[in-house]
Amino acid sequence: MIALEFPFTEEKVRALKVGDEVALSGRVFTGRDAVHKYLHEGGKLPEGVSFQDGIIYHCGPVVLKDENGEWKVTAAGPTTSIREEPYQWQIIRDFGVRGVIGKGGMGPKTLEACREHGCVYLHGIGGAAQVLAECVTRVINVHMLEEFGSPEAIWELEVKDFPVVVTMDSHGNSLHADVFKSSSEALAARV
Amino acid sequence: MNALTESLIELIRRTSAEIPDDVQRAILTALENEKKGTIAESALKIIERNIELAKQKSQPICQDTGSILFYIDCPVGLDQIEFADAARAAVKQATKVGYLRQNSVDSLTGKNDGTNLGPGAPAFHFHQHRGDKISVRLVLKGGGCENVGAQYSLPNTKLNANRDLDGCRKVILDAIVQAQGKGCGPGILGICIGGDRATGYNHSKEQLLRMLDDTNPNPELAALEADIVKTANELGIGPMGFGGNTTLLGAKIGAANRVPASYFVSVSYMCWAYRRQGCELNQNGEIQNWLY
């Protein structure tokens, strides 16, 4: 397990390779379909929010308010990332994103943006909402909750030892592309 | 709140937070079968820990609490309108207390009113029978796995799939390769051969109500199910598509009549977070026993 801690600099991110297991600590921003489409169409990030050297987490958490009125994340696994493939490269380029957490991997445009701008794709364990929610130590803030609704809002979360696997690195390697190729060949031999 | 609504809230809670025993056994077997020290093994360990934690905390296994699908087997004469009203009240309350995520969006306006209620949500499938038992089965089907479902129209030239069981096999295996990573594997397939586009998908989802370790009464389909699982697990896709030995935990195949001009194969993919539960209710709407 490699510890990756805030701030997520280009140097730290460039050192990561496909297959590395990483324990992530620091601040991450959730962002999924609505946020990506909004930014792609020229939308502005809310005042005081910056993705520079930051991490976007493809996640729509279950968040409840406790009796003291504090937000509490009760389930927070990754959502399928490929839906953001049309937008992700641009958001990596324009907003200085260093890491994207999600599941299922992404395509060639994102892989190229990771290589060019110094970013990695970090695969969370899909469905493991409870294990991952335990790693969310605090809800720092929430943005665009009214516009997008709870699952689609930008939740600013503090995480500790959040487990992910590097499946796309900043050197042009993608575990997803490799497994897709080998499994397609294995299938061709069996039909 | 009436007894029926309370029972259905408990059904939702249990479905969302507790994986059925047959699925958990299959996941444990998958964990034993992965090579030690691989990322596939790490993924399954996290999955196993997640299952325990969700049950212990009575919170959703997965944050995507999915499409809410009720399957009700009921005696002739059950007031279905009243039942559906009670179920909607249960869904609303279960959402409020966090057993379900605010997960239902108006497709035209994009608004999420936070209740999980709306046109088609939740979905009800009533089946009448001549007995006196009411059984309610619930499936919570997440969007990630629903998105990788596929419907093929045979013949399919690209896959060289003709209108026979070998053609069915080819398209089912193609669906598995296409779904890799995205559907949160190891997965479980519900499949329907035949039907029209709507009944085919519906029937494929009903296959997911079967126990993982049951045997298809049709020997040809039983053989195809076993072959699909064996072949899929030789492809090296593995948990989460990380590479590894377990790609599928099960495949369940049914058949429905078709018109001569059509030959559909409908594949519904269920993620490892296979949330299905069911219970039998007495006349007062109280839970008598669990079905899984």
Side-chain angles (χ1 to χ4, degrees):
Chain A
M1 220 37 141
I2 298 168
L4 179 64
E5 285 169 14
F6 188 82
F8 310 109
T9 59
E10 178 166 5
E11 190 191 357
K12 288 183 191 174
V13 159
R14 291 267 185 208
L16 297 171
K17 303 269 183 318
V18 160
D20 285 346
E21 292 189 58
V22 170
L24 186 77
S25 300
R27 191 178 51 176
V28 303
F29 295 91
T30 69
R32 46 181 294 167
D33 308 72
V35 170
H36 282 78
K37 182 167 178 286
Y38 168 79
L39 294 177
H40 173 74
E41 288 170 350
K44 297 270 174 287
L45 280 174
E47 189 94 358
V49 176
S50 166
F51 289 169
Q52 186 63 46
D53 292 339
I55 290 189
I56 292 184
Y57 180 18
H58 296 158
C59 171
V62 178
V63 192
L64 298 174
K65 259 196 180 150
D66 68 14
E67 57 275 15
N68 305 321
E70 301 282 325
W71 291 111
K72 175 105 184 81
V73 170
T74 61
T79 190
T80 308
S81 299
I82 196 70
R83 296 193 305 271
E84 316 316 337
E85 179 64 9
Y87 320 120
Q88 196 69 69
W89 64 274
Q90 187 189 349
I91 289 158
I92 290 170
R93 184 192 66 186
D94 295 350
F95 295 89
V97 175
R98 294 282 172 220
V100 175
I101 309 173
K103 73 173 165 89
M106 302 189 71
K109 279 188 193 167
T110 303
L111 187 61
E112 177 54 23
C114 284
R115 197 191 58 74
E116 194 179 340
H117 305 290
C119 179
V120 282
Y121 182 80
L122 303 163
H123 203 301
I125 303 305
Q130 290 307 320
V131 169
L132 300 179
E134 293 255 299
C135 301
V136 177
T137 48
R138 188 161 69 98
V139 176
I140 300 166
N141 210 339
V142 60
H143 313 279
M144 313 197 80
L145 182 60
E146 265 307 298
E147 295 91 323
F148 296 148
S150 175
E152 297 273 1
I154 300 176
W155 293 92
E156 198 175 333
L157 307 175
E158 188 175 273
V159 301
K160 173 103 183 92
D161 296 331
F162 190 98
V164 288
V165 177
V166 178
T167 57
M168 293 163 64
D169 63 24
S170 64
H171 310 286
N173 304 303
S174 164
L175 178 69
H176 308 285
D178 293 349
V179 174
F180 191 83
K181 183 164 179 286
S182 61
S183 59
S184 299
E185 286 164 7
L187 177 59
R190 286 168 176 79
V191 292
Chain B
M1 193 178 298
N2 65 27
L4 175 59
T5 302
E6 280 182 33
S7 297
L8 294 175
I9 292 171
E10 175 57 10
L11 173 62
I12 294 167
R13 184 200 67 77
R14 195 157 171 189
T15 311
S16 179
E18 299 180 16
I19 216 109
D21 289 343
D22 59 327
V23 181
Q24 189 164 7
R25 279 196 300 274
I27 289 172
L28 280 175
T29 306
L31 178 56
E32 283 163 18
N33 289 342
E34 286 301 341
K35 256 197 222 120
K36 307 295 159 229
T38 57
I39 52 175
E41 191 207 19
S42 290
L44 284 169
K45 276 188 184 161
I46 290 177
I47 286 170
E48 182 54 25
R49 191 149 60 87
N50 192 73
I51 290 171
E52 294 302 331
L53 203 54
K55 185 173 178 177
Q56 185 197 319
K57 294 172 79 175
S58 207
Q59 283 179 356
I61 293 166
C62 173
Q63 77 289 339
D64 184 356
T65 53
S67 299
I68 303 164
L69 313 173
F70 283 102
Y71 298 89
I72 305 110
D73 291 300
C74 56
V76 175
L78 177 97
D79 186 334
Q80 297 184 358
I81 295 171
E82 196 178 288
F83 188 97
D85 282 342
R88 278 188 283 265
V91 164
K92 194 171 174 182
Q93 180 60 21
T95 308
K96 207 167 162 189
V97 295
Y99 301 150
L100 299 172
R101 181 172 71 181
Q102 298 177 359
N103 215 32
S104 190
V105 175
D106 183 308
S107 294
L108 300 181
T109 64
K111 285 282 167 213
N112 181 340
D113 75 0
T115 64
N116 272 320
L117 305 178
F124 297 101
H125 302 269
F126 287 98
H127 301 283
Q128 290 191 343
H129 58 72
R130 294 277 175 208
D132 57 4
K133 290 235 158 67
I134 305 174
S135 21
V136 189
R137 288 174 172 81
L138 174 63
V139 173
L140 299 176
K141 194 165 186 305
C145 69
E146 183 66 4
N147 287 347
V148 296
Q151 190 166 58
Y152 296 84
S153 176
L154 302 191
N156 180 307
T157 317
K158 196 174 147 233
L159 298 171
N160 190 23
N162 298 308
R163 291 182 159 192
D164 51 31
L165 284 186
D166 183 58
C168 296
R169 175 179 182 271
K170 283 177 176 157
V171 298
I172 295 165
L173 291 170
D174 179 68
I176 296 164
V177 168
Q178 300 305 327
Q180 65 182 272
K182 300 186 263 302
C184 289
I188 301 92
L189 301 184
I191 298 154
C192 175
I193 299 172
D196 62 38
R197 287 191 187 272
T199 60
Y201 263 134
N202 188 42
H203 196 75
S204 74
K205 285 212 170 78
E206 290 188 350
Q207 294 300 309
L208 296 171
L209 300 174
R210 290 169 51 191
M211 296 288 280
L212 269 186
D213 53 4
D214 73 355
T215 305
N216 198 312
N218 178 313
E220 275 193 305
L221 294 181
L224 184 57
E225 289 176 358
D227 174 60
I228 293 290
V229 174
K230 179 175 172 288
T231 309
N233 290 338
E234 290 168 359
L235 300 180
I237 295 169
M240 301 314 298
F242 286 172
N245 297 326
T246 306
T247 298
L248 270 197
L249 299 174
K252 301 292 164 190
I253 309 176
N257 275 23
R258 58 183 175 84
V259 296
S262 299
Y263 196 121
F264 295 114
V265 179
S266 309
V267 181
S268 286
Y269 187 107
M270 176 60 94
C271 53
W272 68 259
Y274 188 172
R275 285 152 294 166
R276 78 141 141 64
Q277 192 45 269
C279 56
E280 283 189 336
L281 303 174
N282 66 18
Q283 300 306 316
N284 301 324
E286 291 151 354
I287 295 171
Q288 288 205 299
N289 55 283
W290 294 96
L291 295 169
Y292 295 103

